[in-house]
Amino acid sequence: MEHKMRTVNTPVIKKDAKALVTGKPVYTDDLAPKDSLIVKILRSPHAHALIKSIDTTRAEAAEGIICVLTYKDVPNKRFTMAGQTYPEPSPYDRLILDQRLRFVGDAVAIIAGESERAVEHAMRFIKVEYEVLEPVLDIHKAKDGDILVHPEDNWKSLCPVGADNKRNLCASGIDEDGDVDEIISGCDYVVEEVYHTKANQQAMMETFQAFTYLDSYGRLNVVASTQIPFHTRRILAHALDIPKSQVRVIKPRIGGGFGAKQTVVAEVYAAIVTMKTGKPAKMIYTRYESQIASSPRHEMEIKVRIGADKNGLIQAIDVYTLSNTGAFGEHGPTTVGLSGHKSIPLYGRAKAFRFAYDVVYTNHMSAGAYRGYGATQGLFAVESAVNELAAKLHMDPVVLREKNMVQEGDVMPAYYGETLNSCALDRCMARAKEMIDWDKKFPYVDMGNGKVRSVGVAMAMQGSAISNVDVASVEIRLNDDGFYTLLIGASDMGTGCDTTLSQVAADCLECDLDEIVVHGTDTDVSPYDSGSYASSTMYLTGMAVVKACEEIRGKIVKKASEYLNCDKETLEFDGKRVFQPEGNLEISLKDIGNQIMCCNDDTISAGATHTSNVSPPPFMVGMAEIELDKETGTVEMVDYVAVVDCGTTVNPNLARVQTEGGIAQGIGMALYEEISYTEKGQLRENSFMQYKLPTRMDVGDIRVEFESSYEPTGPFGAKSIGEIVINTPSPAIANAVANASGVYVRTLPITAEKIYQGMKNK
């Protein structure tokens, strides 16, 4: 049936807004039992070492200490902390505690006690003798190097991703179409450059948190700030070597995730303490721990070659990505693919492409998932190279893109051969150009006071869920008085999906939003959902909601036909009542809801599962206006305009704040957020004093608009919004800096020093 949009595409307020703004206890740490044991980790001071001996007797005897665990006390069964569909592409390369330590901050021992003070005090009494080994700290020396990060024999890779621990490879591969070398050799203009992005921190407000307890049936209950409750259940069962049926995972409100919580960073430590002691336990990461031992973005060095003819038509694109997965392989094989597959297809006229990659192990903190997930790194490189190509051609970079951009109906060889069913990229570009007044401001305006204002541009694409892999399910029930309960397995992590999915249900069922009660994720109750990641929630789970609502509508009409004693084909349902358009029989939904509670053979509930064999990309154009001080190289953000095509916007307010937030994060990545290590492998930026996050004052004006397209495979024509929004700031700002100063900064962040040195060297 055709649905009229009543709630979809309207800016309704989030269902949990009141609880959040009034400070109700809704987060993991708020809910933990008061008598939980406090769990902390003794962390390695060395980037690479073996534990020769470890003595915990004094620590165990200390007051208030309940247990101290070392590598001898945990299962010797390798697993991955990456929350991915089974079999996971990420290698099984971790133990809960290991004799070999692989980065500064790696777990040496787990201590649990009655108070934080007792645990921190006892930690000093643990005596460890280390055999310090030489670390692998240079990504260029990791592949086939002499030092192995994972020499162990029980390392294993479940999927054919080109991984080989004996070569320090977490993944490697190549994908191509056409003869890139031959085509580029015949091009009039070629750009060949190397770009470098750092291991940014997600820096969500709520750190990694989990508490665990045994219920009255002796099952392990885990309450965690996680994007992936069902994967967490599997990962913990693997790591603890217990049946999955013995684990229950509950997700309360999450204070931000941005991908960090697609990895099981904290849960396993509390869980093993509960398993060993039988007592409730909680693991709350400090901000310091979140900086030095979490799951940041993968550092990538990307080499790009682009060839064009004299008219600026791009003929071929060649991308090689070297990705640093760090000490463990979480998300290593999967993030790297996006660096090529979500950047190269933007240029739909190219005759050939090649995309090759290596993901290497090093003795740095291991990486993970972060909004944009590899596309962010790849788009910085490819979009910067396209901007450099425009400069070589003496062409406006907007015009160059207009000539080359992918269009609706195109087949995309570099995007798994998918056909593009919905694309408003051309309209996004035209609108962004108008919004920022591009023609007046490009390439720069001299302000006459030693300062220059300039503009820069970038495009981006992402996906909507992982095609042929991700699964979303929902269940919906009719209750007495005719209201509904909607059970979803996807995790609302502040994105508002509890609200937006209810909007979809309310439109399908033609009822008010308040008549849909949402139940958050609990693996014992919720239907299976692979989790909130890969921009999948609205596109995939939204479609499952549409299917479930269709089914329950049919059941409501069928039940009404029994109560009215007539043929169901003669009846219609308008959300409030089932009635005969041609006759005078009718019954209200409220009456049906109440009657089925008494003498009834049918449940009026529906469950639906949805998966997709395509992953339609949302698109975005970002344009930055900056002011650059020529004497110092200092950059200030003036204006950022973004126009996004996410299909139909289900909730324009939530889509807008998602976009504004993603752009602010992207500006941080572009200008401020630096990650550096000492020669011993210690991370320098271990607090927010050193790791500079932009405030509202640093990001300038951010202006967002939407250009809608209609995606036939999405609910009400919707595509995703979550990740696309972070991808344009770095290349757009780098372009603006180049237009102002003539200096291309190819290693992020773009600092005053780099610009000043570049101007001096010119």
Side-chain angles (χ1 to χ4, degrees):
M1 61 163 285
E2 275 300 304
H3 297 299
K4 290 193 290 290
M5 296 205 307
R6 305 177 337 148
T7 317
V8 167
N9 206 14
T10 58
V12 302
I13 291 168
K14 280 172 69 173
K15 277 188 170 282
D16 55 349
K18 197 165 173 201
L20 299 178
V21 296
T22 54
K24 290 267 190 298
V26 293
Y27 297 105
T28 302
D29 196 18
D30 300 332
L31 306 172
K34 295 285 168 270
D35 60 345
S36 295
L37 296 179
I38 304 297
V39 181
K40 290 208 170 289
I41 304 289
L42 176 68
R43 297 185 179 279
S44 169
H46 307 292
H48 198 190
L50 288 170
I51 298 171
K52 279 171 83 171
S53 68
I54 182 164
D55 183 356
T56 58
T57 40
R58 271 191 71 198
E60 286 171 86
E63 195 181 335
I65 296 304
I66 305 298
C67 86
V68 182
L69 304 173
T70 72
Y71 70 91
K72 295 170 184 159
D73 307 308
V74 300
N76 184 29
K77 193 178 166 208
R78 301 243 167 225
F79 66 100
T80 177
M81 285 188 183
Q84 297 173 313
T85 299
Y86 183 84
E88 303 96 329
S90 297
Y92 280 21
D93 55 12
R94 270 195 195 263
L95 298 174
I96 299 172
L97 293 169
D98 204 332
Q99 188 176 5
R100 182 181 291 268
L101 305 164
R102 295 178 174 82
F103 70 99
V104 176
D106 205 354
V108 175
I110 302 169
I111 307 114
E114 287 160 2
S115 71
E116 200 163 333
R117 199 158 158 244
V119 173
E120 282 176 350
H121 182 66
M123 209 184 265
R124 301 181 194 137
F125 299 149
I126 299 174
K127 274 211 175 98
V128 191
E129 195 188 337
Y130 298 100
E131 180 189 335
V132 181
L133 306 168
E134 196 186 327
V136 184
L137 298 174
D138 182 344
I139 54 172
H140 304 98
K141 293 181 179 162
K143 182 181 170 181
D144 296 324
D146 301 334
I147 306 154
L148 289 182
V149 179
H150 284 277
E152 65 272 11
D153 290 329
N154 60 354
W155 176 98
K156 66 179 179 196
S157 171
L158 274 59
C159 294
V161 293
D164 185 348
N165 61 320
K166 298 299 193 308
R167 298 180 61 197
N168 279 336
L169 277 180
C170 172
S172 60
I174 186 164
D175 186 19
E176 55 192 326
D177 184 58
D179 191 332
V180 166
D181 296 324
E182 190 185 338
I183 290 174
I184 288 184
S185 67
C187 284
D188 299 309
Y189 291 89
V190 178
V191 166
E192 183 169 347
E193 293 295 348
V194 175
Y195 302 88
H196 190 167
T197 58
K198 302 290 179 69
N200 308 108
Q201 284 286 358
Q202 297 89 344
M204 57 279 156
M205 282 169 74
E206 181 196 29
T207 60
F208 300 93
Q209 313 197 342
F211 70 85
T212 52
Y213 60 93
L214 298 179
D215 64 18
S216 47
Y217 303 103
R219 294 170 74 223
L220 176 69
N221 281 235
V222 181
V223 179
S225 182
T226 179
Q227 295 170 224
I228 41 150
F230 288 93
H231 294 329
T232 299
R233 176 173 69 183
R234 180 184 67 243
I235 292 165
L236 291 178
H238 274 290
L240 299 164
D241 212 5
I242 58 176
K244 288 195 193 75
S245 58
Q246 292 306 299
V247 184
R248 174 191 188 187
V249 180
I250 302 162
K251 175 215 74 83
R253 290 287 100 195
I254 304 184
F258 309 118
K261 294 170 183 174
Q262 199 195 330
T263 302
V264 180
V265 173
E267 291 86 331
V268 66
Y269 303 116
I272 191 148
V273 167
T274 292
M275 294 300 288
K276 294 278 182 185
T277 63
K279 296 177 188 294
K282 76 171 179 177
M283 176 82 197
I284 307 290
Y285 266 54
T286 61
R287 184 58 64 185
Y288 170 74
E289 287 180 298
S290 294
Q291 286 292 113
I292 64 145
S294 54
S295 57
R297 191 182 289 291
H298 285 75
E299 172 194 20
M300 290 187 191
E301 189 184 87
I302 301 177
K303 185 179 175 186
V304 182
R305 274 196 313 160
I306 292 188
D309 68 15
K310 57 181 181 299
N311 300 316
L313 291 176
I314 292 171
Q315 305 293 307
I317 304 179
D318 187 7
V319 172
Y320 169 70
T321 303
L322 179 61
S323 175
N324 180 7
T325 195
F328 301 100
E330 271 94 28
H331 301 281
T334 39
T335 44
V336 74
L338 279 69
S339 67
H341 293 305
K342 302 276 163 85
S343 56
I344 300 168
L346 279 171
Y347 297 93
R349 319 266 82 83
K351 297 188 179 88
F353 83 90
R354 176 167 55 214
F355 169 42
Y357 54 86
D358 288 308
V359 183
V360 294
Y361 282 116
T362 61
N363 293 111
H364 286 148
M365 163 178 32
S366 67
Y370 183 0
R371 189 180 214 162
Y373 202 80
T376 318
Q377 297 96 307
L379 284 159
F380 170 63
V382 170
E383 287 299 279
S384 292
V386 169
N387 286 330
E388 295 198 44
L389 178 64
K392 267 194 171 177
L393 283 154
H394 301 292
M395 189 184 278
D396 181 331
V398 169
V399 174
L400 181 64
R401 285 178 172 81
E402 286 168 343
K403 286 183 172 209
N404 289 286
M405 67 171 67
V406 71
Q407 286 162 5
E408 201 160 283
D410 285 358
V411 175
M412 301 174 285
Y415 192 63
Y416 319 106
E418 274 191 31
T419 300
L420 190 52
N421 291 321
S422 60
C423 175
L425 187 55
D426 50 350
R427 300 202 302 279
C428 292
M429 183 65 78
R431 183 66 192 123
K433 200 177 159 176
E434 263 170 47
M435 284 168 72
I436 210 159
D437 206 356
W438 178 270
D439 290 339
K440 270 208 183 112
K441 295 174 180 173
F442 174 78
Y444 65 88
V445 177
D446 199 320
M447 306 303 283
N449 55 356
K451 293 184 175 178
V452 173
R453 284 202 173 182
S454 63
V455 285
V457 61
M459 311 191 297
M461 62 181 278
Q462 196 79 35
S464 304
I466 305 168
S467 55
N468 298 307
V469 172
D470 285 347
V471 169
S473 308
V474 298
E475 283 171 23
I476 191 157
R477 287 202 295 264
L478 178 67
N479 304 303
D480 35 353
D481 271 3
F483 73 97
Y484 301 94
T485 305
L486 179 65
L487 299 174
I488 57 178
S491 295
D492 190 332
M493 46 172 158
T495 47
C497 74
D498 286 357
T499 307
T500 51
L501 293 169
S502 300
Q503 284 178 261
V504 171
D507 266 20
C508 291
L509 296 167
E510 299 178 83
C511 67
D512 293 339
L513 197 61
D514 293 344
E515 288 161 45
I516 309 277
V517 175
V518 192
H519 199 289
T521 326
D522 173 341
T523 57
D524 274 8
V525 179
S526 307
Y528 179 80
D529 192 294
S530 33
S532 294
Y533 59 89
S535 303
S536 63
T537 315
M538 179 40 65
Y539 176 71
L540 212 63
T541 313
M543 211 58 200
V545 171
V546 172
K547 284 178 167 177
C549 291
E550 292 290 308
E551 190 188 324
I552 202 167
R553 284 185 74 104
K555 289 186 173 178
I556 290 167
V557 171
K558 183 173 177 287
K559 199 74 207 168
S561 72
E562 289 171 29
Y563 291 147
L564 296 171
N565 200 10
C566 68
D567 182 356
K568 69 176 196 292
E569 305 306 325
T570 65
L571 296 173
E572 282 185 18
F573 174 46
D574 67 3
K576 294 265 180 285
R577 61 192 179 123
V578 179
F579 63 100
Q580 273 182 329
E582 305 300 321
N584 51 9
L585 291 175
E586 71 167 72
I587 182 169
S588 70
L589 182 67
K590 181 177 179 174
D591 287 345
I592 297 171
N594 289 328
Q595 280 196 43
I596 56 174
M597 302 298 156
C598 179
C599 184
N600 172 34
D601 285 337
D602 313 303
T603 52
I604 307 243
S605 71
T609 294
H610 185 65
T611 196
S612 176
N613 57 1
V614 291
S615 175
F619 293 95
M620 173 172 172
V621 171
M623 289 184 179
E625 184 178 0
I626 62 154
E627 185 167 278
L628 186 132
D629 185 330
K630 285 221 148 166
E631 278 183 21
T632 60
T634 313
V635 170
E636 216 173 286
M637 287 304 301
V638 177
D639 193 14
Y640 199 95
V641 305
V643 187
V644 186
D645 159 23
C646 58
T648 302
T649 48
V650 173
N651 186 319
N653 274 7
L654 293 182
R656 175 167 283 104
V657 294
Q658 283 258 40
T659 308
E660 289 170 358
I663 289 167
Q665 285 177 316
I667 291 171
M669 174 182 177
L671 294 175
Y672 305 108
E673 298 175 39
E674 174 69 283
I675 285 280
S676 61
Y677 284 89
T678 66
E679 62 288 343
K680 291 202 163 142
Q682 283 164 318
L683 179 68
R684 291 192 182 95
E685 293 75 17
N686 58 20
S687 79
F688 284 163
M689 293 297 285
Q690 288 85 21
Y691 188 76
K692 302 289 188 205
L693 292 170
T695 66
R696 193 68 198 80
M697 305 295 287
D698 301 312
V699 296
D701 273 346
I702 295 176
R703 297 185 291 135
V704 174
E705 287 191 10
F706 298 95
E707 280 289 339
S708 46
S709 62
Y710 186 86
E711 174 49 50
T713 64
F716 294 95
K719 297 187 283 192
S720 74
I721 184 81
E723 293 182 277
I724 178 88
V725 295
I726 199 171
N727 294 333
T728 58
S730 346
I733 292 166
N735 184 216
V737 166
N739 289 335
S741 64
V743 177
Y744 279 95
V745 180
R746 300 186 185 97
T747 297
L748 295 180
I750 301 163
T751 59
E753 292 85 343
K754 290 174 189 172
I755 297 167
Y756 179 78
Q757 284 310 134
M759 290 193 298
K760 231 172 95 173
N761 296 342
K762 271 188 121 60

